[in-house]
Amino acid sequence: KSAELGLDMQFFNSLFGFELTYYNTRTFNQIIPIQVSGATGYTSKYINSGEVKNNGIEIIANVTPIRKKDFVWKLNFNFSKNNNEVVSLFDANTKQIVIATFQSGVSLVAIPGQPFGVLKGRGYVYTNGQKTVNEDGYYMSKTDQIIGNVTPKWFGGAGTSVTYKNFTIGFLVDAKIGGSVYSLDQA
């Protein structure tokens, strides 16, 4: 189920314009694999599970600083931000679904009330925002805690193109800001 509201505006004979979109989506009964005991002869089974909600904005702006008969220079910019949350899983007794497991005890999981795709594993214990040191001088840690979220905070990009007669050259830079990455090499 989704709802989307958008606005597409162009000004000064399309020398400047923008698109603005807001969306709100709820996805139900996604087909995902869950782990089962190897004693069954299988390692996973597929289920229809729960609900995930997404909402966010997308903005695109375009500018044409130069538009002549044989020469056109265009600039475009984009930005998007998505917020997501696992609302529920396939039953009330299920606290999390493990999507993937990695070495060093790190798992990618779906947990109600959290973004889809949080990383769980061993993390530090903090006191007043600082890592806690035990009596032996080592940082204290505990297992099975949320240590990251793979979802980026926002996406963005900027591009430009130059057209001379029938020849066009373009350049684009994209950015994905935020989100946690678990390095298997560094584990």
Side-chain angles (χ1 to χ4, degrees), residues 10 22 30 51 116 125 148 179 185:
Q10 294 293 319
Y22 170 80
Q30 298 181 91
E51 177 183 352
F116 184 81
V125 174
D185 292 339

Side-chain angles (χ1 to χ4, degrees), residues 30 39-40 42 64 81 107 110 113 120 153 167 169:
Q30 298 181 91
T40 63
Y42 299 94
T64 306
K81 179 170 179 44
S107 299
K120 283 184 81 174
K153 292 183 180 179
F167 179 75
I169 188 167

Side-chain angles (χ1 to χ4, degrees), residues 48-64:
N48 290 3
S49 181
E51 177 183 352
V52 176
K53 68 178 180 179
N54 287 281
N55 63 57
I57 61 167
E58 298 172 351
I59 302 168
I60 299 171
N62 57 68
V63 178
T64 306

Side-chain angles (χ1 to χ4, degrees), residues 64-129:
T64 306
I66 300 173
R67 184 169 54 197
K68 303 286 184 186
K69 179 182 174 197
D70 290 334
F71 184 79
V72 178
W73 175 32
K74 293 182 180 181
L75 298 167
N76 57 62
F77 307 93
N78 64 69
F79 171 85
S80 65
K81 179 170 179 44
N82 181 59
N83 303 306
N84 72 35
E85 179 185 345
V86 175
V87 177
S88 64
L89 298 175
F90 66 96
D91 66 27
N93 296 325
T94 304
K95 303 296 181 216
Q96 70 180 22
I97 293 177
V98 176
I99 300 164
T101 58
F102 309 105
Q103 58 198 35
S104 299
V106 173
S107 299
L108 182 67
V109 297
I111 302 172
Q114 295 292 328
F116 184 81
V118 292
L119 294 168
K120 283 184 81 174
R122 179 175 292 279
Y124 294 111
V125 174
Y126 290 89
T127 304
N128 298 324

